[in-house]
Amino acid sequence: MNYRAVETTGEYVARLETGADWRGEIESLAAEVEADAAWFTALGAVQDAELAFYDQDECEYYEIDADEPLEVASCVGNVSWLDGDRFAHTHAVLSDDDGETISGHLNEATVWAGEVYMRVFEDSLEREYDDTTELDLWL
Amino acid sequence: MNYRAVETTGEYVARLETGADWRGEIESLAAEVEADAAWFTALGAVQDAELAFYDQDECEYYEIDADEPLEVASCVGNVSWLDGDRFAHTHAVLSDDDGETISGHLNEATVWAGEVYMRVFEDSLEREYDDTTELDLWL
Amino acid sequence: MNYRAVETTGEYVARLETGADWRGEIESLAAEVEADAAWFTALGAVQDAELAFYDQDECEYYEIDADEPLEVASCVGNVSWLDGDRFAHTHAVLSDDDGETISGHLNEATVWAGEVYMRVFEDSLEREYDDTTELDLWL
């Protein structure tokens, strides 16, 4: 296992803008506070969402579309550098009006309301191609 | 997007009381440590639960009742002031004996066992009515 | 409610090893950094998983097997001492290629890719048998 001690240089709470993209908003926050590495948790609701599932045989992401309002029952992720951009790796748990739940890797989602807590770390995290999983991983 | 740098004045772990209300316990912890703003994550199990889904067209919450024992697979939320009370905005992911999952905004739930980590922030968060979503939001 | 103010002595990010056990990896991290108490959140994907549901009448865990690749949409837990070993109490939310979700108490799972954030606390947490729930609880 690879691990690193981190030092927190700042902590933030944010309210995501209604109508904006959920992941884009988190990346905007990271840019605003000049985060080179960060960890976040969040909750709220979205107007629609595109999740993704990584096929471990094909080593490809497949999209899962949800074109309806959903609660964001949980959201966990981190910010790192990927190909020169700040990337918010974001997983989310979403639920409908019966509480029925879909979840996974979040590509995009239109914010209804969102509340985020983010910790920014001193040392940069950078994603690089991993041969085994064909994913971009840090450390 | 609205955001704020926060300073943490205290960190706490808590065990929620069997038979008490999950959200009430978190609000009791917040009151005990005089939190005017806080962020928490939690896990555990409940004896029953009432979730809610916010209808984004009607701008109203609809209740989803679950009258059975459920694991709390995830719980994320924050504490702020709402109409003069400390309010723990709480989202939860709940699962039954097959692992089947319901999730959403948590109104109430009877604790079986609960473990919480809470960070308390120096500056108060206060919820105010938002015209667009008809929700009470902070920042 | 029982609670305790905690002091953080270290913060870590870790990448879990492909092919290793998810919970075992978290316990290895805890051992490596000599954590006597810790809190963590995580995300990633696994190749299979064994969840468990605690039957509150029988006071027994029942296993739920998932023999397929799954996203780890959320993972929350903590590290404490149990019977002389570091134990990572771990709850997880898992999803398949349709976004369909199972969740609960995580016994074991084979890591595909995993990203963890852990805070280590100064004072030890120790689990002891609780008569009411027949669970091992701390505080």
Side-chain angles (χ1 to χ4, degrees):
Chain A
M1 183 212 340
N2 297 301
Y3 74 96
R4 175 197 286 179
V6 291
E7 253 176 78
T8 295
T9 55
E11 299 177 68
Y12 303 89
V13 291
R15 171 151 80 90
L16 306 183
E17 190 76 23
T18 307
D21 177 54
W22 184 278
R23 193 160 66 77
E25 282 284 276
I26 292 172
E27 287 165 354
S28 295
L29 171 60
E32 187 84 25
V33 302
E34 297 180 4
D36 294 321
W39 195 270
F40 61 88
T41 54
L43 69 161
V46 293
Q47 302 174 47
D48 52 41
E50 183 189 294
L51 294 171
F53 176 83
Y54 193 72
D55 185 309
Q56 297 173 15
D57 291 319
E58 304 292 330
C59 287
E60 253 184 277
Y61 274 111
Y62 290 92
E63 293 167 12
I64 302 161
D65 282 308
D67 286 322
E68 55 172 348
L70 297 157
E71 298 287 316
V72 179
S74 165
C75 179
V76 181
N78 55 70
V79 176
S80 58
W81 288 98
L82 171 63
D83 301 331
D85 290 313
R86 284 182 177 91
F87 169 64
H89 185 207
T90 307
H91 280 201
V93 182
L94 309 172
S95 59
D96 72 9
D97 55 355
D98 290 319
E100 274 181 34
T101 301
I102 58 169
S103 61
H105 178 94
L106 186 77
N107 280 340
E108 52 187 50
T110 310
V111 174
W112 175 254
E115 298 171 353
V116 178
Y117 167 68
M118 182 184 282
R119 299 178 69 75
V120 175
F121 304 134
E122 188 164 38
D123 292 334
S124 182
L125 284 169
E126 196 135 351
R127 290 186 182 273
E128 277 168 33
Y129 183 79
D130 170 63
D131 283 327
T132 310
T133 60
E134 300 187 19
L135 286 166
D136 297 304
L137 303 176
W138 36 250
L139 292 188
Chain B
M1 183 213 338
N2 297 301
Y3 75 96
R4 173 197 286 180
V6 292
E7 252 176 78
T8 296
T9 55
E11 300 176 68
Y12 303 89
V13 291
R15 172 152 79 90
L16 306 183
E17 190 76 22
T18 307
D21 177 54
W22 184 277
R23 193 160 66 78
E25 282 282 277
I26 292 173
E27 288 165 353
S28 294
L29 171 61
E32 188 85 25
V33 302
E34 297 180 4
D36 293 321
W39 195 270
F40 60 87
T41 54
L43 68 161
V46 294
Q47 302 174 48
D48 52 41
E50 182 188 296
L51 294 170
F53 177 83
Y54 193 73
D55 185 310
Q56 297 174 14
D57 292 319
E58 304 292 330
C59 287
E60 254 183 280
Y61 274 112
Y62 290 92
E63 293 166 14
I64 302 160
D65 282 308
D67 285 323
E68 55 171 349
L70 296 157
E71 297 288 315
V72 180
S74 164
C75 180
V76 181
N78 55 71
V79 176
S80 58
W81 288 98
L82 172 63
D83 301 332
D85 292 312
R86 285 182 175 91
F87 169 65
H89 184 208
T90 307
H91 280 201
V93 183
L94 309 171
S95 59
D96 71 10
D97 54 356
D98 290 319
E100 274 181 35
T101 301
I102 58 169
S103 61
H105 179 94
L106 186 77
N107 281 341
E108 53 187 49
T110 309
V111 174
W112 174 255
E115 299 171 352
V116 178
Y117 167 67
M118 183 184 282
R119 298 178 70 75
V120 175
F121 304 134
E122 187 162 40
D123 292 333
S124 183
L125 284 169
E126 196 135 353
R127 291 186 181 273
E128 277 168 33
Y129 183 79
D130 169 63
D131 282 328
T132 310
T133 60
E134 300 186 20
L135 286 166
D136 297 304
L137 303 176
W138 38 251
L139 294 188
Chain C
M1 183 213 338
N2 297 301
Y3 75 96
R4 174 196 286 179
V6 291
E7 252 177 79
T8 295
T9 56
E11 300 177 69
Y12 303 89
V13 291
R15 171 152 80 89
L16 306 184
E17 191 77 22
T18 307
D21 178 54
W22 185 278
R23 193 160 66 78
E25 281 284 276
I26 292 172
E27 287 164 354
S28 294
L29 171 61
E32 188 84 25
V33 302
E34 296 179 5
D36 294 320
W39 195 270
F40 60 87
T41 54
L43 68 161
V46 293
Q47 302 175 47
D48 53 41
E50 182 189 295
L51 294 170
F53 177 83
Y54 193 72
D55 186 309
Q56 298 174 14
D57 292 319
E58 304 292 331
C59 287
E60 253 184 279
Y61 274 111
Y62 289 93
E63 293 167 12
I64 302 161
D65 282 309
D67 286 323
E68 54 170 349
L70 297 157
E71 298 287 316
V72 179
S74 165
C75 180
V76 181
N78 55 70
V79 176
S80 59
W81 287 98
L82 172 64
D83 301 331
D85 291 312
R86 285 183 175 91
F87 169 64
H89 185 207
T90 306
H91 280 201
V93 183
L94 309 171
S95 59
D96 71 10
D97 54 355
D98 289 320
E100 275 180 33
T101 301
I102 57 169
S103 61
H105 179 93
L106 187 76
N107 280 341
E108 53 187 49
T110 309
V111 174
W112 175 256
E115 298 171 353
V116 178
Y117 167 66
M118 182 184 283
R119 299 178 69 75
V120 174
F121 304 135
E122 187 164 39
D123 292 334
S124 183
L125 284 169
E126 196 135 352
R127 290 186 181 273
E128 277 168 32
Y129 183 78
D130 170 64
D131 282 329
T132 310
T133 59
E134 300 186 19
L135 285 166
D136 297 304
L137 303 176
W138 36 251
L139 293 188

